[in-house]
Amino acid sequence: MNIELTGVSRVYGATRALSGVDLAVSDPVRVLALIGPSGGGKSTLLRLLGGLEVPDTGEIRFDSTLLGRGDNPVKSGTAMATGLSEHRKRNGFLFQAFNLFPHLTALENVALPLAKVHGLAPDAARERALACLDRFRLGDHAAKRPAELSGGQQQRVALARAMAHRPRLLILDEPTSALDPEMTAEVLEVIAELCRDGQEIVLSTHEMGFARAVADEVVFLADGEIVEWGRPESLFGAPKQAAVKGFLGRVMRW
Amino acid sequence: MLLSWRVRVSPRQTIAWTVSLGLGATFCFFFWVLLAHPWRWEAVAPYAGNLLAGWGMTLAVSAAALLMTVAIAGALTAGQLSAFAVPRALSRFYVEIVRGTPLLTQILIGFYLLAPVLKIENRFVVGVAILSAFAGAYLSEIFRGGILSIPKSQWEAARAIGLTGAQTYRYVVIPQAVRRVLPATAGQFANLVKDSSLLYVIGLGEFTMQAREVNAHTYATFESYVPLALGYLALTLPISFASRWMEERFRYEH
Protein backbone atom coordinates (compact mmCIF):
# COMPACT_ATOMS: atom_id res chain seq x y z
CA MET A 1 0.00 0.00 0.00
CA ASN A 2 1.03 3.55 -0.60
CA ILE A 3 -0.22 6.13 1.85
CA GLU A 4 0.96 9.70 2.02
CA LEU A 5 -0.21 12.30 4.51
CA THR A 6 1.18 15.82 4.56
CA GLY A 7 0.25 18.24 7.34
CA VAL A 8 -3.16 16.62 7.86
CA SER A 9 -5.41 18.20 10.50
CA ARG A 10 -9.00 17.48 11.45
CA VAL A 11 -10.96 19.56 13.93
CA TYR A 12 -14.33 18.75 15.52
CA GLY A 13 -15.68 21.90 17.14
CA ALA A 14 -13.06 22.82 19.73
CA THR A 15 -11.31 19.42 19.59
CA ARG A 16 -8.27 18.92 17.42
CA ALA A 17 -8.53 15.23 16.54
CA LEU A 18 -5.48 15.35 14.29
CA SER A 19 -2.95 18.17 14.12
CA GLY A 20 -0.45 18.36 11.31
CA VAL A 21 0.16 14.66 10.75
CA ASP A 22 2.84 13.62 8.25
CA LEU A 23 3.11 9.98 7.32
CA ALA A 24 4.49 8.03 4.37
CA VAL A 25 3.96 4.30 4.05
CA SER A 26 4.85 2.40 0.90
CA ASP A 27 5.17 -1.13 -0.45
CA PRO A 28 6.04 -3.76 0.65
CA VAL A 29 4.08 -2.77 3.77
CA ARG A 30 0.78 -4.68 3.70
CA VAL A 31 -0.51 -4.36 7.25
CA LEU A 32 -0.37 -1.05 9.11
CA ALA A 33 -1.43 -0.89 12.76
CA LEU A 34 -2.39 2.27 14.67
CA ILE A 35 -1.98 2.10 18.42
CA GLY A 36 -2.13 4.60 21.26
CA PRO A 37 -4.48 5.98 23.92
CA SER A 38 -8.19 6.49 23.26
CA GLY A 39 -8.95 9.91 21.83
CA GLY A 40 -5.49 10.02 20.28
CA GLY A 41 -6.76 10.32 16.71
CA LYS A 42 -6.70 6.70 15.52
CA SER A 43 -10.34 6.60 14.45
CA THR A 44 -10.12 9.98 12.74
CA LEU A 45 -7.11 8.89 10.74
CA LEU A 46 -8.92 5.71 9.66
CA ARG A 47 -12.04 7.68 8.68
CA LEU A 48 -9.90 9.96 6.54
CA LEU A 49 -8.18 6.98 4.93
CA GLY A 50 -11.56 5.39 4.30
CA GLY A 51 -12.88 8.49 2.57
CA LEU A 52 -15.66 8.91 5.14
CA GLU A 53 -14.33 12.36 5.99
CA VAL A 54 -11.92 14.86 4.51
CA PRO A 55 -9.15 16.78 6.29
CA ASP A 56 -9.51 20.45 7.28
CA THR A 57 -5.94 21.18 6.26
CA GLY A 58 -3.24 19.16 4.56
CA GLU A 59 -3.37 16.53 1.90
CA ILE A 60 -3.95 12.80 1.95
CA ARG A 61 -3.32 10.26 -0.82
CA PHE A 62 -3.90 6.55 -1.10
CA ASP A 63 -2.06 4.99 -4.06
CA SER A 64 -2.69 7.66 -6.65
CA THR A 65 -6.09 8.76 -5.30
CA LEU A 66 -6.31 12.17 -3.68
CA LEU A 67 -8.56 11.75 -0.61
CA GLY A 68 -9.05 15.41 0.16
CA ARG A 69 -7.07 18.54 0.45
CA GLY A 70 -7.74 21.05 3.19
CA ASP A 71 -8.06 24.08 0.93
CA ASN A 72 -10.54 22.29 -1.32
CA PRO A 73 -13.88 21.51 0.38
CA VAL A 74 -15.77 18.59 -1.17
CA LYS A 75 -18.96 19.52 -2.99
CA SER A 76 -21.28 16.82 -4.29
CA GLY A 77 -20.96 16.18 -8.01
CA THR A 78 -17.36 17.33 -8.22
CA ALA A 79 -14.53 15.08 -9.37
CA MET A 80 -13.29 15.03 -5.77
CA ALA A 81 -16.62 13.73 -4.44
CA THR A 82 -16.84 11.10 -7.17
CA GLY A 83 -13.28 10.02 -6.43
CA LEU A 84 -14.07 9.64 -2.72
CA SER A 85 -17.20 7.66 -3.46
CA GLU A 86 -15.26 5.33 -5.80
CA HIS A 87 -12.62 4.97 -3.09
CA ARG A 88 -15.28 3.95 -0.53
CA LYS A 89 -16.75 1.38 -2.93
CA ARG A 90 -13.32 -0.10 -3.67
CA ASN A 91 -12.36 -0.55 -0.02
CA GLY A 92 -13.90 -2.19 3.02
CA PHE A 93 -14.55 -0.52 6.37
CA LEU A 94 -15.22 -2.32 9.64
CA PHE A 95 -16.66 -0.43 12.61
CA GLN A 96 -16.06 -1.03 16.29
CA ALA A 97 -19.84 -1.39 16.85
CA PHE A 98 -20.32 -3.66 13.78
CA ASN A 99 -23.07 -1.39 12.34
CA LEU A 100 -24.90 -4.25 10.67
CA PHE A 101 -28.36 -3.53 9.29
CA PRO A 102 -30.70 -4.96 11.97
CA HIS A 103 -33.67 -5.55 9.67
CA LEU A 104 -31.67 -7.75 7.28
CA THR A 105 -30.37 -11.30 7.76
CA ALA A 106 -26.64 -11.98 7.81
CA LEU A 107 -26.85 -13.10 4.20
CA GLU A 108 -28.79 -10.00 3.13
CA ASN A 109 -26.33 -7.75 4.96
CA VAL A 110 -23.49 -9.17 2.90
CA ALA A 111 -25.41 -9.46 -0.38
CA LEU A 112 -26.89 -5.92 -0.32
CA PRO A 113 -23.75 -4.02 -1.37
CA LEU A 114 -22.80 -6.75 -3.85
CA ALA A 115 -26.12 -6.37 -5.65
CA LYS A 116 -26.74 -2.64 -5.26
CA VAL A 117 -23.23 -1.19 -5.37
CA HIS A 118 -21.19 -3.70 -7.32
CA GLY A 119 -23.87 -4.67 -9.81
CA LEU A 120 -23.99 -8.42 -9.27
CA ALA A 121 -27.19 -10.21 -10.26
CA PRO A 122 -29.28 -11.12 -7.18
CA ASP A 123 -28.45 -14.83 -7.43
CA ALA A 124 -24.75 -14.20 -7.93
CA ALA A 125 -24.76 -11.77 -5.01
CA ARG A 126 -26.39 -14.34 -2.71
CA GLU A 127 -23.99 -17.03 -3.83
CA ARG A 128 -20.93 -14.86 -3.25
CA ALA A 129 -22.31 -13.67 0.11
CA LEU A 130 -22.88 -17.25 1.21
CA ALA A 131 -19.36 -18.26 0.17
CA CYS A 132 -18.01 -15.31 2.13
CA LEU A 133 -20.02 -16.22 5.25
CA ASP A 134 -18.75 -19.80 4.91
CA ARG A 135 -15.20 -18.55 4.78
CA PHE A 136 -15.73 -16.84 8.15
CA ARG A 137 -17.43 -19.98 9.53
CA LEU A 138 -20.89 -18.41 9.54
CA GLY A 139 -22.60 -20.70 7.04
CA ASP A 140 -25.09 -21.93 9.64
CA HIS A 141 -26.08 -18.40 10.60
CA ALA A 142 -26.83 -16.96 7.15
CA ALA A 143 -30.59 -16.70 7.76
CA LYS A 144 -30.30 -15.06 11.18
CA ARG A 145 -30.73 -11.37 11.92
CA PRO A 146 -28.03 -9.50 13.87
CA ALA A 147 -30.08 -9.59 17.09
CA GLU A 148 -29.88 -13.41 17.01
CA LEU A 149 -26.07 -13.44 16.74
CA SER A 150 -23.35 -13.01 19.35
CA GLY A 151 -21.05 -9.99 19.18
CA GLY A 152 -18.25 -12.04 17.70
CA GLN A 153 -20.56 -13.49 15.06
CA GLN A 154 -21.91 -10.03 14.24
CA GLN A 155 -18.39 -8.67 13.79
CA ARG A 156 -17.53 -11.59 11.51
CA VAL A 157 -20.67 -10.89 9.44
CA ALA A 158 -19.56 -7.26 9.25
CA LEU A 159 -16.14 -8.50 8.15
CA ALA A 160 -17.79 -10.66 5.48
CA ARG A 161 -19.72 -7.57 4.31
CA ALA A 162 -16.51 -5.54 4.13
CA MET A 163 -14.62 -8.35 2.33
CA ALA A 164 -17.23 -9.74 -0.08
CA HIS A 165 -16.35 -7.40 -2.94
CA ARG A 166 -12.63 -8.20 -2.57
CA PRO A 167 -11.59 -4.75 -1.38
CA ARG A 168 -8.32 -3.15 -2.34
CA LEU A 169 -7.79 -1.98 1.24
CA LEU A 170 -9.51 -3.19 4.39
CA ILE A 171 -9.85 -0.65 7.20
CA LEU A 172 -10.61 -1.97 10.69
CA ASP A 173 -11.51 0.53 13.42
CA GLU A 174 -10.91 -1.21 16.76
CA PRO A 175 -12.57 -4.40 15.50
CA THR A 176 -12.58 -6.16 18.88
CA SER A 177 -13.07 -3.34 21.39
CA ALA A 178 -16.75 -4.19 21.87
CA LEU A 179 -16.13 -7.91 22.39
CA ASP A 180 -15.31 -10.17 25.32
CA PRO A 181 -11.95 -12.04 25.29
CA GLU A 182 -13.33 -15.21 23.73
CA MET A 183 -15.08 -13.39 20.90
CA THR A 184 -12.03 -11.16 20.51
CA ALA A 185 -9.96 -14.27 19.89
CA GLU A 186 -12.40 -15.59 17.28
CA VAL A 187 -12.40 -12.28 15.38
CA LEU A 188 -8.63 -11.77 15.59
CA GLU A 189 -8.17 -15.31 14.27
CA VAL A 190 -10.13 -14.38 11.14
CA ILE A 191 -8.24 -11.10 10.68
CA ALA A 192 -4.90 -12.88 11.09
CA GLU A 193 -6.02 -15.26 8.34
CA LEU A 194 -6.71 -12.32 6.05
CA CYS A 195 -3.27 -10.90 6.82
CA ARG A 196 -1.64 -14.22 5.91
CA ASP A 197 -3.58 -14.26 2.64
CA GLY A 198 -1.96 -10.97 1.70
CA GLN A 199 -4.94 -8.64 2.21
CA GLU A 200 -3.82 -5.01 2.65
CA ILE A 201 -5.11 -3.79 5.99
CA VAL A 202 -4.96 -0.65 8.10
CA LEU A 203 -6.29 -1.22 11.59
CA SER A 204 -6.44 0.46 14.96
CA THR A 205 -6.36 -1.79 17.99
CA HIS A 206 -5.72 -2.08 21.70
CA GLU A 207 -4.53 -5.67 21.25
CA MET A 208 -0.78 -5.04 21.42
CA GLY A 209 0.24 -8.67 20.97
CA PHE A 210 -1.91 -8.89 17.86
CA ALA A 211 -0.52 -5.65 16.40
CA ARG A 212 2.97 -6.90 16.96
CA ALA A 213 2.22 -10.25 15.35
CA VAL A 214 0.50 -9.10 12.16
CA ALA A 215 1.68 -5.55 11.42
CA ASP A 216 4.50 -4.69 9.05
CA GLU A 217 4.54 -1.17 10.39
CA VAL A 218 3.14 0.35 13.60
CA VAL A 219 2.16 3.97 14.25
CA PHE A 220 1.73 5.35 17.76
CA LEU A 221 -0.77 8.23 17.89
CA ALA A 222 -1.46 10.45 20.90
CA ASP A 223 -3.16 13.85 21.16
CA GLY A 224 -3.66 13.97 17.42
CA GLU A 225 0.00 13.57 16.59
CA ILE A 226 2.27 10.74 15.53
CA VAL A 227 4.64 10.19 18.42
CA GLU A 228 6.63 7.32 16.97
CA TRP A 229 6.40 4.85 14.12
CA GLY A 230 8.42 1.99 12.76
CA ARG A 231 8.74 -1.79 12.53
CA PRO A 232 6.84 -3.60 15.30
CA GLU A 233 9.94 -5.22 16.74
CA SER A 234 11.59 -1.84 17.24
CA LEU A 235 8.49 0.04 18.42
CA PHE A 236 7.44 -2.68 20.86
CA GLY A 237 10.96 -3.97 21.59
CA ALA A 238 12.83 -0.70 22.02
CA PRO A 239 10.51 2.32 22.00
CA LYS A 240 12.40 5.61 21.80
CA GLN A 241 9.80 8.05 23.07
CA ALA A 242 8.93 8.27 26.75
CA ALA A 243 5.19 8.50 25.95
CA VAL A 244 5.32 5.22 24.04
CA LYS A 245 7.35 3.51 26.75
CA GLY A 246 4.90 4.72 29.40
CA PHE A 247 1.84 3.62 27.41
CA LEU A 248 3.23 0.18 26.59
CA GLY A 249 4.38 -0.26 30.19
CA ARG A 250 0.86 0.51 31.43
CA VAL A 251 -1.10 -1.63 28.98
CA MET A 252 1.26 -4.61 29.01
CA ARG A 253 1.59 -4.68 32.80
CA TRP A 254 -1.41 -6.90 33.46
CA MET B 1 -42.71 -13.41 63.71
CA LEU B 2 -46.35 -12.83 64.46
CA LEU B 3 -46.77 -11.04 61.18
CA SER B 4 -44.99 -13.65 59.14
CA TRP B 5 -48.27 -15.13 57.84
CA ARG B 6 -48.92 -11.99 55.85
CA VAL B 7 -48.73 -12.40 52.10
CA ARG B 8 -45.95 -10.30 50.69
CA VAL B 9 -47.18 -8.02 47.91
CA SER B 10 -44.69 -6.27 45.68
CA PRO B 11 -45.31 -2.64 44.64
CA ARG B 12 -45.73 -3.85 41.07
CA GLN B 13 -48.53 -6.19 42.05
CA THR B 14 -50.18 -3.43 44.09
CA ILE B 15 -50.15 -1.12 41.08
CA ALA B 16 -51.40 -3.86 38.75
CA TRP B 17 -54.31 -4.71 41.05
CA THR B 18 -55.22 -1.05 41.69
CA VAL B 19 -55.30 -0.27 37.98
CA SER B 20 -57.30 -3.41 37.17
CA LEU B 21 -59.86 -2.83 39.91
CA GLY B 22 -60.17 0.87 39.04
CA LEU B 23 -60.75 0.21 35.35
CA GLY B 24 -63.04 -2.74 36.07
CA ALA B 25 -65.19 -0.60 38.37
CA THR B 26 -65.29 2.21 35.79
CA PHE B 27 -66.47 -0.19 33.07
CA CYS B 28 -69.14 -1.67 35.35
CA PHE B 29 -70.43 1.77 36.28
CA PHE B 30 -70.48 2.79 32.60
CA PHE B 31 -72.46 -0.25 31.49
CA TRP B 32 -74.84 0.09 34.41
CA VAL B 33 -75.59 3.69 33.36
CA LEU B 34 -76.13 2.55 29.76
CA LEU B 35 -78.43 -0.29 30.82
CA ALA B 36 -80.43 1.89 33.19
CA HIS B 37 -81.29 4.33 30.40
CA PRO B 38 -84.89 4.00 29.10
CA TRP B 39 -83.98 3.15 25.51
CA ARG B 40 -86.41 3.90 22.63
CA TRP B 41 -84.79 1.96 19.80
CA GLU B 42 -88.12 1.75 17.96
CA ALA B 43 -87.93 5.52 17.35
CA VAL B 44 -84.69 5.32 15.33
CA ALA B 45 -85.33 1.94 13.69
CA PRO B 46 -86.95 3.46 10.55
CA TYR B 47 -83.77 5.51 9.98
CA ALA B 48 -81.36 2.57 10.11
CA GLY B 49 -80.84 2.84 6.34
CA ASN B 50 -79.76 6.49 6.64
CA LEU B 51 -77.21 5.61 9.31
CA LEU B 52 -75.87 2.78 7.20
CA ALA B 53 -75.53 5.06 4.16
CA GLY B 54 -73.70 7.60 6.31
CA TRP B 55 -71.37 4.90 7.60
CA GLY B 56 -70.61 3.89 4.01
CA MET B 57 -69.86 7.52 3.10
CA THR B 58 -67.51 7.87 6.08
CA LEU B 59 -65.77 4.66 5.03
CA ALA B 60 -65.35 5.95 1.46
CA VAL B 61 -64.11 9.41 2.49
CA SER B 62 -61.69 7.93 5.03
CA ALA B 63 -60.30 5.33 2.66
CA ALA B 64 -59.69 7.87 -0.10
CA ALA B 65 -58.25 10.42 2.34
CA LEU B 66 -56.00 7.79 3.90
CA LEU B 67 -54.26 7.09 0.60
CA MET B 68 -53.89 10.79 -0.18
CA THR B 69 -52.67 11.51 3.35
CA VAL B 70 -49.78 9.08 2.92
CA ALA B 71 -48.83 10.70 -0.40
CA ILE B 72 -48.98 14.23 1.04
CA ALA B 73 -47.09 13.21 4.18
CA GLY B 74 -44.39 11.56 2.07
CA ALA B 75 -43.95 14.72 0.00
CA LEU B 76 -43.85 16.95 3.11
CA THR B 77 -41.32 14.66 4.80
CA ALA B 78 -39.11 14.75 1.72
CA GLY B 79 -39.46 18.53 1.73
CA GLN B 80 -38.56 18.87 5.40
CA LEU B 81 -35.53 16.59 5.09
CA SER B 82 -34.37 18.18 1.84
CA ALA B 83 -30.84 19.47 1.52
CA PHE B 84 -32.24 22.69 0.03
CA ALA B 85 -33.50 25.53 2.18
CA VAL B 86 -36.57 26.53 0.14
CA PRO B 87 -38.51 23.22 0.18
CA ARG B 88 -37.48 22.82 3.81
CA ALA B 89 -38.87 26.22 4.80
CA LEU B 90 -42.07 25.82 2.76
CA SER B 91 -42.84 22.34 4.15
CA ARG B 92 -42.18 23.53 7.66
CA PHE B 93 -44.44 26.56 7.15
CA TYR B 94 -47.22 24.33 5.79
CA VAL B 95 -46.97 21.88 8.69
CA GLU B 96 -47.00 24.64 11.32
CA ILE B 97 -50.00 26.45 9.79
CA VAL B 98 -52.07 23.30 9.33
CA ARG B 99 -51.28 21.87 12.76
CA GLY B 100 -51.81 25.20 14.48
CA THR B 101 -55.29 26.04 13.16
CA PRO B 102 -58.70 24.37 13.68
CA LEU B 103 -59.79 21.80 11.14
CA LEU B 104 -63.21 23.48 11.11
CA THR B 105 -61.71 26.74 9.79
CA GLN B 106 -59.71 24.82 7.20
CA ILE B 107 -62.85 23.02 5.98
CA LEU B 108 -64.80 26.27 5.70
CA ILE B 109 -62.00 28.13 3.90
CA GLY B 110 -61.35 25.12 1.67
CA PHE B 111 -64.97 24.64 0.66
CA TYR B 112 -66.27 28.22 0.48
CA LEU B 113 -63.15 30.11 -0.65
CA LEU B 114 -60.70 27.78 -2.41
CA ALA B 115 -62.99 25.21 -4.08
CA PRO B 116 -65.11 27.80 -5.98
CA VAL B 117 -61.97 29.46 -7.34
CA LEU B 118 -60.67 26.05 -8.48
CA LYS B 119 -64.15 25.26 -9.87
CA ILE B 120 -64.49 22.06 -7.81
CA GLU B 121 -68.09 21.48 -6.79
CA ASN B 122 -68.03 17.85 -5.72
CA ARG B 123 -68.29 17.80 -1.91
CA PHE B 124 -66.71 14.37 -1.71
CA VAL B 125 -63.63 15.49 -3.62
CA VAL B 126 -63.30 18.69 -1.58
CA GLY B 127 -63.81 16.77 1.66
CA VAL B 128 -61.15 14.21 0.83
CA ALA B 129 -58.71 16.93 -0.25
CA ILE B 130 -59.12 19.01 2.92
CA LEU B 131 -59.02 16.03 5.23
CA SER B 132 -55.84 14.62 3.71
CA ALA B 133 -54.18 18.05 3.56
CA PHE B 134 -54.88 18.26 7.30
CA ALA B 135 -53.87 14.73 8.33
CA GLY B 136 -50.86 14.80 5.96
CA ALA B 137 -49.26 17.55 8.06
CA TYR B 138 -49.50 15.43 11.21
CA LEU B 139 -48.39 12.25 9.51
CA SER B 140 -45.36 13.94 7.96
CA GLU B 141 -44.11 14.83 11.44
CA ILE B 142 -44.48 11.18 12.46
CA PHE B 143 -42.57 10.09 9.34
CA ARG B 144 -39.88 12.71 9.91
CA GLY B 145 -39.43 11.60 13.52
CA GLY B 146 -39.17 7.97 12.39
CA ILE B 147 -36.46 8.73 9.85
CA LEU B 148 -34.49 10.93 12.26
CA SER B 149 -34.63 8.17 14.88
CA ILE B 150 -32.47 5.86 12.76
CA PRO B 151 -28.99 6.07 14.33
CA LYS B 152 -26.18 7.90 12.56
CA SER B 153 -24.15 4.68 12.54
CA GLN B 154 -26.62 3.15 10.06
CA TRP B 155 -26.18 6.05 7.63
CA GLU B 156 -22.45 5.79 8.08
CA ALA B 157 -22.38 2.04 7.41
CA ALA B 158 -24.47 2.59 4.27
CA ARG B 159 -22.02 5.25 3.11
CA ALA B 160 -19.04 3.06 3.87
CA ILE B 161 -20.34 0.20 1.71
CA GLY B 162 -20.95 2.66 -1.12
CA LEU B 163 -24.74 3.05 -1.22
CA THR B 164 -26.02 6.30 -2.75
CA GLY B 165 -28.28 8.60 -0.74
CA ALA B 166 -31.41 7.27 -2.44
CA GLN B 167 -30.31 3.64 -1.94
CA THR B 168 -29.63 4.36 1.72
CA TYR B 169 -33.23 5.52 2.18
CA ARG B 170 -34.64 2.68 0.10
CA TYR B 171 -32.73 -0.26 1.62
CA VAL B 172 -31.59 0.86 5.05
CA VAL B 173 -33.49 3.79 6.56
CA ILE B 174 -37.10 3.49 5.39
CA PRO B 175 -37.51 -0.25 6.17
CA GLN B 176 -36.39 0.42 9.74
CA ALA B 177 -38.36 3.66 10.06
CA VAL B 178 -41.62 2.02 8.87
CA ARG B 179 -41.48 -0.42 11.76
CA ARG B 180 -40.95 2.42 14.23
CA VAL B 181 -43.72 4.70 12.98
CA LEU B 182 -46.43 2.01 12.70
CA PRO B 183 -48.13 2.60 16.09
CA ALA B 184 -48.22 6.39 15.72
CA THR B 185 -49.35 6.10 12.10
CA ALA B 186 -52.24 3.84 13.11
CA GLY B 187 -53.27 6.43 15.71
CA GLN B 188 -53.18 9.15 13.06
CA PHE B 189 -55.34 7.04 10.73
CA ALA B 190 -57.90 6.50 13.50
CA ASN B 191 -57.93 10.28 14.06
CA LEU B 192 -58.50 10.81 10.37
CA VAL B 193 -61.58 8.56 10.42
CA LYS B 194 -63.03 10.48 13.36
CA ASP B 195 -62.03 13.91 11.98
CA SER B 196 -64.05 13.13 8.87
CA SER B 197 -67.10 13.73 11.08
CA LEU B 198 -66.48 17.49 10.80
CA LEU B 199 -67.24 17.33 7.08
CA TYR B 200 -70.94 17.61 7.95
CA VAL B 201 -70.38 21.40 7.91
CA ILE B 202 -70.05 21.31 4.13
CA GLY B 203 -73.14 19.12 3.85
CA LEU B 204 -71.40 15.86 3.06
CA GLY B 205 -73.87 13.11 4.03
CA GLU B 206 -71.42 11.17 6.16
CA PHE B 207 -72.06 9.20 9.32
CA THR B 208 -72.15 12.04 11.86
CA MET B 209 -74.43 14.19 9.71
CA GLN B 210 -76.88 11.29 9.37
CA ALA B 211 -76.86 10.72 13.13
CA ARG B 212 -77.54 14.43 13.74
CA GLU B 213 -80.49 14.28 11.36
CA VAL B 214 -81.92 11.15 12.94
CA ASN B 215 -81.65 12.87 16.31
CA ALA B 216 -83.38 15.96 14.95
CA HIS B 217 -86.27 13.85 13.65
CA THR B 218 -86.71 11.58 16.65
CA TYR B 219 -85.32 13.42 19.70
CA ALA B 220 -83.82 10.02 20.57
CA THR B 221 -80.37 11.42 21.22
CA PHE B 222 -78.55 8.39 22.59
CA GLU B 223 -80.29 5.99 20.24
CA SER B 224 -78.78 8.11 17.43
CA TYR B 225 -75.32 8.67 18.82
CA VAL B 226 -74.48 5.30 20.43
CA PRO B 227 -74.72 3.55 17.03
CA LEU B 228 -72.47 6.36 15.77
CA ALA B 229 -69.82 5.44 18.34
CA LEU B 230 -70.08 1.75 17.49
CA GLY B 231 -69.88 2.54 13.78
CA TYR B 232 -66.64 4.52 14.24
CA LEU B 233 -65.20 1.73 16.37
CA ALA B 234 -65.96 -0.68 13.53
CA LEU B 235 -63.66 1.47 11.37
CA THR B 236 -60.89 2.30 13.84
CA LEU B 237 -60.46 -1.09 15.53
CA PRO B 238 -59.45 -2.86 12.28
CA ILE B 239 -56.81 -0.15 11.76
CA SER B 240 -55.49 -0.84 15.22
CA PHE B 241 -55.46 -4.61 14.68
CA ALA B 242 -53.78 -4.26 11.29
CA SER B 243 -51.07 -2.10 12.85
CA ARG B 244 -50.40 -4.63 15.63
CA TRP B 245 -50.25 -7.42 13.09
CA MET B 246 -47.77 -5.51 10.92
CA GLU B 247 -45.64 -4.59 13.95
CA GLU B 248 -45.29 -8.29 14.66
CA ARG B 249 -44.71 -9.11 11.00
CA PHE B 250 -41.93 -6.55 10.52
CA ARG B 251 -40.26 -7.04 13.86
CA TYR B 252 -36.54 -7.65 13.72
CA GLU B 253 -35.21 -6.89 17.20
CA HIS B 254 -36.44 -10.03 19.05
Side-chain angles (χ1 to χ4, degrees):
Chain A
M1 70 177 79
N2 291 291
I3 295 173
E4 203 185 331
L5 281 81
T6 23
V8 168
S9 297
R10 183 74 178 96
V11 182
Y12 301 106
T15 321
R16 288 189 81 80
L18 284 179
S19 43
V21 169
D22 295 309
L23 177 70
V25 177
S26 51
D27 289 329
V29 172
R30 288 193 166 280
V31 179
L32 176 69
L34 311 182
I35 61 165
S38 295
K42 300 187 297 293
S43 282
T44 307
L45 183 50
L46 291 179
R47 297 168 59 78
L48 292 173
L49 275 175
L52 291 173
E53 287 183 29
V54 289
D56 294 312
T57 59
E59 198 180 297
I60 174 165
R61 282 177 188 280
F62 177 78
D63 288 344
S64 53
T65 315
L66 179 64
L67 297 183
R69 198 175 344 199
D71 56 1
N72 188 4
V74 181
K75 291 212 180 75
S76 63
T78 59
M80 183 79 231
T82 318
L84 277 175
S85 151
E86 288 305 314
H87 178 72
R88 286 194 297 267
K89 287 181 194 173
R90 219 171 14 246
N91 302 318
F93 202 108
L94 194 72
F95 300 90
Q96 181 181 339
F98 332 135
N99 296 8
L100 290 173
F101 303 130
H103 60 299
L104 300 180
T105 63
L107 183 68
E108 290 165 340
N109 263 283
V110 181
L112 179 71
L114 292 175
K116 303 303 169 192
V117 180
H118 303 285
L120 268 70
D123 284 345
R126 289 176 68 85
E127 208 169 295
R128 171 101 70 97
L130 204 54
C132 215
L133 288 171
D134 271 334
R135 177 180 182 190
F136 297 135
R137 297 181 281 281
L138 289 160
D140 297 339
H141 305 293
K144 292 183 185 167
R145 295 217 168 87
E148 299 167 272
L149 299 170
S150 75
Q153 290 167 339
Q154 288 189 56
Q155 191 60 302
R156 281 185 286 143
V157 173
L159 201 55
R161 184 175 71 180
M163 281 298 295
H165 60 290
R166 297 173 190 131
R168 171 87 178 74
L169 174 70
L170 182 62
I171 299 172
L172 314 170
D173 187 3
E174 298 198 15
T176 61
S177 292
L179 302 175
D180 71 27
E182 201 180 354
M183 296 177 186
T184 296
E186 92 191 29
V187 169
L188 292 183
E189 189 60 43
V190 173
I191 298 172
E193 236 173 78
L194 294 175
C195 295
R196 278 198 296 278
D197 292 349
Q199 173 67 46
E200 293 199 341
I201 293 177
V202 182
L203 80 157
S204 66
T205 184
H206 288 297
E207 302 290 335
M208 296 304 147
F210 183 72
R212 186 171 188 165
V214 301
D216 300 315
E217 196 95 42
V218 182
V219 173
F220 184 96
L221 272 164
D223 297 325
E225 289 173 15
I226 294 182
V227 180
E228 187 172 342
W229 57 296
R231 309 270 316 155
E233 50 281 11
S234 64
L235 195 132
F236 288 107
K240 294 182 200 67
Q241 301 294 326
V244 183
K245 274 183 209 160
F247 176 82
L248 289 176
R250 281 192 300 279
V251 300
M252 309 286 256
R253 185 164 169 209
W254 304 109
Chain B
M1 272 301 129
L2 271 177
L3 294 176
S4 62
W5 54 270
R6 283 176 65 164
V7 182
R8 259 188 239 152
V9 182
S10 72
R12 268 167 106 187
Q13 281 172 314
T14 314
I15 293 172
W17 278 106
T18 313
V19 171
S20 306
L21 285 174
L23 284 175
T26 310
F27 291 149
C28 288
F29 175 70
F30 178 71
F31 287 121
W32 176 75
V33 169
L34 280 186
L35 284 176
H37 181 75
W39 295 98
R40 297 191 295 124
W41 291 112
E42 64 287 353
V44 297
Y47 299 94
N50 300 33
L51 287 175
L52 202 61
W55 187 83
M57 176 58 94
T58 289
L59 175 63
V61 169
S62 303
L66 203 135
L67 293 178
M68 250 185 92
T69 297
V70 173
I72 291 174
L76 286 171
T77 308
Q80 291 217 66
L81 296 174
S82 166
F84 303 101
V86 175
R88 229 169 32 226
L90 290 175
S91 310
R92 177 85 200 278
F93 180 74
Y94 176 92
V95 168
E96 295 301 340
I97 294 298
V98 169
R99 290 203 310 171
T101 55
L103 177 57
L104 185 59
T105 316
Q106 291 167 20
I107 295 173
L108 293 173
I109 289 179
F111 186 69
Y112 291 107
L113 296 185
L114 296 182
V117 177
L118 296 169
K119 304 254 185 293
I120 307 172
E121 282 160 14
N122 187 321
R123 285 164 209 273
F124 182 83
V125 172
V126 179
V128 167
I130 297 172
L131 201 56
S132 37
F134 173 77
Y138 283 86
L139 194 60
S140 81
E141 283 295 271
I142 294 173
F143 285 179
R144 190 171 70 91
I147 285 172
L148 292 180
S149 78
I150 304 303
K152 236 185 104 191
S153 58
Q154 289 286 307
W155 296 87
E156 180 129 81
R159 214 161 94 84
I161 63 174
L163 294 180
T164 63
Q167 286 176 326
T168 303
Y169 274 105
R170 165 81 179 73
Y171 299 110
V172 177
V173 175
I174 291 177
Q176 294 183 59
V178 163
R179 166 71 180 75
R180 294 186 184 198
V181 302
L182 270 175
T185 301
Q188 190 54 49
F189 285 164
N191 276 340
L192 176 130
V193 171
K194 291 186 293 171
D195 287 340
S196 72
S197 64
L198 266 181
L199 292 176
Y200 79 85
V201 297
I202 61 171
L204 188 74
E206 48 69 65
F207 203 19
T208 304
M209 174 154 155
Q210 299 291 358
R212 286 164 62 92
E213 279 180 0
V214 173
N215 180 35
H217 288 303
T218 61
Y219 298 112
T221 308
F222 298 108
E223 290 79 353
S224 310
Y225 283 106
V226 168
L228 186 69
L230 296 176
Y232 277 107
L233 268 179
L235 294 175
T236 55
L237 282 180
I239 294 175
S240 200
F241 290 143
S243 158
R244 297 259 172 165
W245 180 79
M246 282 167 75
E247 269 177 64
E248 207 46 51
R249 173 99 177 38
F250 293 134
R251 114 186 257 114
Y252 50 78
E253 53 287 72
H254 289 270

